Amino acid sequence: MNTQDDHREYVLTSENSKLIDNILSDIRRDPKTGRLVVPALWKKEIQHLMSPNYNLAVSVLNSQKRKLSPERLKEYDAVIQNQFEDGVIERIADHPSFLRENPDVSFLAHNAVFRNNSNTTKCRVVFLSNLSERKNEKCLSHNQCSMAGANLNNKMQISTLLLRFDKYLLTYDLKKAFLQLFLREEDTRKLLFLWFNGISKNDFSIVGYRFRRVPFGMRYSPFLLMIALYYTLIHNVTDDDDEETQSIKGVCITFLTWIT
């Protein structure tokens, strides 16, 4: 990490403070599920230059098919099918027609990372948001067209020191944390991807999906997760006179110190 990036971790600029305020005012809850709905952080002035990436997505997908064994492809497919069943992603019934009707869409290429020694996630699908079809100023990647937001995570040594000053210690592990956050409808058109229709049936025809939740691998995903935690634990909680509740809330404020 260079000096500039290191400095950014400790300074909350006025620009980032304004961004945080805007995000907090824009967060809402989905009336059906109660989940938070957050906006993707696109750079509005260059968002229209985002590459469609359809041909790139097809090329990377076919490359994965050639490289991976049938067993690996089935593991890969299982992750995607689980996300479909959980409502994380949504099938596009006719993606060629969808492309014609929505010329501003963009696809994410992806690959799989396998960790045989992991006790939990053996296969993780990683979306390649740094890639675009053509490397020029009129065909930008998702990363180039998005904002990372402020770095709201304390360094480990700072967090360890802060833990000494509170009575209570709150720890938690959110299962598939990014995927707990819903995206706005208009943002999902920029987060499409391709997969095979039915690997278990040896059907390798290509179909389209789009994300309904915040995907792993986007520049803004860590920022949105921290903002959502702050919104849930502090910003949207009414005052409570109970001493223990106030103490626990104090721990949350210390944990999220860079937001406040």
Side-chain angles (χ1 to χ4, degrees), residues 76-109:
Y76 202 157
D77 182 60
V79 175
I80 291 177
Q81 296 311 316
N82 285 338
Q83 290 187 348
F84 174 72
E85 292 169 5
D86 291 342
V88 172
I89 58 177
E90 178 181 85
R91 179 81 169 264
I92 300 172
D94 184 358
H95 72 271
S97 297
F98 187 84
L99 285 172
R100 288 192 296 270
E101 296 168 3
N102 299 276
D104 62 335
V105 301
S106 185
F107 285 82
L108 283 161

Side-chain angles (χ1 to χ4, degrees), residues 10-42:
Y10 292 90
V11 178
L12 194 59
T13 64
S14 58
E15 181 181 352
N16 281 330
S17 295
K18 184 178 180 181
L19 176 62
I20 288 170
D21 289 339
N22 289 339
I23 297 299
L24 288 174
S25 63
D26 205 16
I27 290 177
R28 60 181 178 82
R29 287 197 179 274
D30 179 73
K32 294 182 179 179
T33 65
R35 293 181 185 273
L36 293 185
V37 181
V38 296
L41 304 185
W42 305 120

Side-chain angles (χ1 to χ4, degrees), residues 177-231:
F178 297 139
L179 300 180
Q180 304 302 324
L181 302 175
F182 265 107
L183 289 163
R184 299 181 304 184
E185 179 72 22
E186 58 266 32
D187 291 324
T188 64
R189 292 196 296 271
K190 300 291 188 183
L191 298 169
L192 277 60
F193 69 96
L194 300 173
W195 188 239
F196 301 114
N197 189 43
I199 287 181
S200 61
K201 299 177 181 179
N202 206 33
D203 180 359
F204 288 93
S205 58
I206 293 176
V207 294
Y209 290 90
R210 63 174 171 177
F211 269 97
R212 305 299 303 183
R213 316 255 186 99
V214 175
F216 179 81
M218 302 303 295
R219 288 186 72 199
Y220 46 71
S221 297
F223 172 77
L224 290 179
L225 176 60
M226 292 298 288
I227 286 291
L229 287 171
Y230 174 74
Y231 182 90

